[in-house]
Amino acid sequence: MTRSIISLNSGSSSIKFGLYHLEEQGPVHVAGGKLEGIGTAPRIRIHSDTGEILLEKSWGEGTKDGGAGLTHEPLLSELYDWAHDHLQDHAIVAVGHRVVHGGGRYWAPRLIDEALVAELDTFSPLAPLHQPHNLAAIREIARKAPHLVQVACFDTGFHHAMPGVATRLPLPRAYAARGMRRYGFHGLSYEYVSARLATLDPALAQGRVIVAHLGNGASLCAMRGGASVDTTMGFTALDGLIMGTRTGMLDPGAVIHLQLQEGLSAHEVESMLYRRSGLLGLSELSSDMRSLHASDDPRAAEAIESFVWTAARQMGALMVSLEGLDGLVFTAGIGENDPVIRAAICARLAWTGLVLDEAANAANAPVISSPESRVIVRVIPTDEERQIALHTFSLTQPFMDAAKGDS
Ligand code: ADP
């Protein structure tokens, strides 16, 4: 019987997932998709590797609160049941999860047990938008299928070897001992893109490269020889670039002002900085870049201008960490699909000798810089689910070998 694994990337309002068969050479993708709109109007779409739609469903009429009342757990349960039925003669043997925060203790992917989940829960206040949902998915799978091996893959992991100077927060030292340091996030995406770049352009991968992960969440990673040496997210995933609903870097005095002068509670400030700021806060229209492009409201244009300015400005900072720049890689929803944003960011970097090939950029081509450009600019689609599958495969393999030996 062929063995299969599921990769789960469980966020606040969506769950991305992939199904893989375990072949000798590694995980082979067979299906994937996204469950979106959790908490409002849930809908799921699953497609095969050849693009065929295998399942399309939305929870509206006739469901509790028209679907809005459905939490992660029942939706995940339905997704698991679908995978189980769909795979028929393939046994699901493991589930790999994206876990946003590994704290100061965990960076390498790990097998999950109850004690680990309890410890990871203590990091939830550090990633309130993500960690509770990551752990809810682990608990739900453990409840439904207690026999499965589960693997935690940490978003902080890729950055754990950053130089000390990139990890320190300038607070009284005692707080560092209590875990207050810069961690960095989007590590599974960066790990995947770093490996892809090593295959596509080994010489560039050895050099000084900034990878721009621009999605709803957005960050930059400075890589030298494929390893992270600096990144824009820090202690939490709130730092760095302007995001869909998050502020990114913000004067800490503004946070104090909101509480002391504007009278907001700490929880109200937290909710505002994570959920009502960024592109949404600036535009008062949408957190979604496509909607902002489609609008002729001047607030949408200003939100886009700020997004671009902040991204380019922080690229400048990472160039100092790298002592130069050989390559720039765009990835994630905006990075992979939005030539307007890429062109605007690159225009602000023209002083580095970066020259964009406009036609290649418009076509989302793999290389979008001109031959004469001093900086090579690439578009590399990310695949966090595949990275989770690769880690899950390596950690699950010993069990499989043992099982083979038994039979
Ligand atoms: P998440 O962080 O939720 O994984 P994604 O990587 O899917 O986010 O990115 C979502 C963002 O990408 C949204 O702002 C969306 O508008 C933008 N995006 C996705 N596709 C396109 C596209 N074809 N053109 C422009 N923007 C896009």
Side-chain angles (χ1 to χ4, degrees), residues 108-132:
R110 280 181 84 87
L111 295 173
I112 296 172
D113 58 22
E114 267 182 48
L116 180 68
V117 177
E119 192 177 355
L120 295 177
D121 214 3
T122 65
F123 307 139
S124 291
L126 304 182
L129 220 55
H130 299 97
Q131 191 91 342

Side-chain angles (χ1 to χ4, degrees), residues 45-324:
R45 196 181 158 98
I46 304 179
H47 54 82
S48 72
D49 210 37
T50 53
E52 180 196 353
I53 302 294
L54 301 173
L55 176 70
E56 204 158 20
K57 179 173 176 183
S58 52
W59 287 262
E61 298 293 305
T63 45
K64 192 175 160 227
D65 303 333
L70 285 171
T71 55
H72 285 65
E73 286 84 354
L75 292 165
L76 194 58
S77 172
E78 185 145 341
L79 168 61
Y80 180 83
D81 289 339
W82 176 87
H84 189 267
D85 295 346
H86 176 73
L87 288 169
Q88 291 178 359
D89 56 341
H90 297 252
I92 300 171
V93 293
V95 179
H97 298 262
R98 174 186 180 202
V99 174
V100 162
H101 219 301
R105 276 190 71 180
Y106 302 112
W107 50 86
R110 280 181 84 87
L111 295 173
I112 296 172
D113 58 22
E114 267 182 48
L116 180 68
V117 177
E119 192 177 355
L120 295 177
D121 214 3
T122 65
F123 307 139
S124 291
L126 304 182
L129 220 55
H130 299 97
Q131 191 91 342
H133 302 297
N134 305 155
L135 301 182
I138 293 171
R139 290 193 176 106
E140 178 60 17
I141 297 293
R143 190 192 65 77
K144 259 195 102 68
H147 60 285
L148 292 187
V149 174
Q150 295 204 73
V151 174
C153 305
F154 301 104
D155 238 3
T156 42
F158 187 68
H159 306 289
H160 97 277
M162 284 194 303
V165 69
T167 68
R168 270 173 234 134
L169 289 175
L171 290 169
R173 266 198 117 84
Y175 290 97
R178 288 154 64 171
M180 292 195 70
R181 46 158 282 192
R182 300 186 73 248
Y183 291 98
F185 299 88
H186 284 143
L188 293 165
S189 173
Y190 290 131
E191 189 178 7
Y192 179 81
V193 171
S194 173
R196 284 294 295 149
L197 184 63
T199 305
L200 296 167
D201 191 340
L204 181 60
Q206 279 312 306
R208 301 159 298 180
V209 176
I210 293 175
V211 180
H213 177 111
L214 308 179
N216 280 318
S219 73
L220 306 174
C221 180
M223 294 183 197
R224 218 183 234 281
S228 172
V229 297
D230 196 359
T231 188
T232 56
M233 283 177 169
F235 175 52
T236 67
L238 197 53
D239 200 3
L241 307 190
I242 290 177
M243 300 173 229
T245 62
R246 286 172 257 171
T247 53
M249 191 164 84
L250 184 71
D251 178 350
V255 180
I256 297 164
H257 183 91
L258 286 168
Q259 295 186 59
L260 295 184
Q261 311 303 325
E262 294 288 334
L264 272 64
S265 71
H267 284 297
E268 284 167 341
V269 173
E270 179 189 57
S271 168
M272 188 170 98
L273 302 191
Y274 274 99
R275 297 185 170 88
R276 291 189 287 119
S277 299
L279 294 175
L280 176 63
L282 281 169
S283 68
E284 298 182 305
L285 295 166
S286 173
S287 61
D288 191 287
M289 189 58 89
R290 275 173 294 192
S291 308
L292 295 180
H293 283 309
S295 168
D296 54 10
D297 190 310
R299 293 171 301 174
E302 281 186 8
I304 292 174
E305 183 185 35
S306 292
F307 178 89
V308 167
W309 179 73
T310 306
R313 186 170 179 245
Q314 297 196 33
M315 284 175 183
L318 294 195
M319 284 179 216
V320 173
S321 298
L322 289 169
E323 299 176 70

Side-chain angles (χ1 to χ4, degrees), residues 359-380:
N361 183 44
N364 297 325
V367 177
I368 59 171
S369 49
S370 310
E372 75 268 26
S373 180
R374 285 185 55 193
V375 177
I376 298 172
V377 187
R378 282 186 164 269
V379 176
I380 299 183

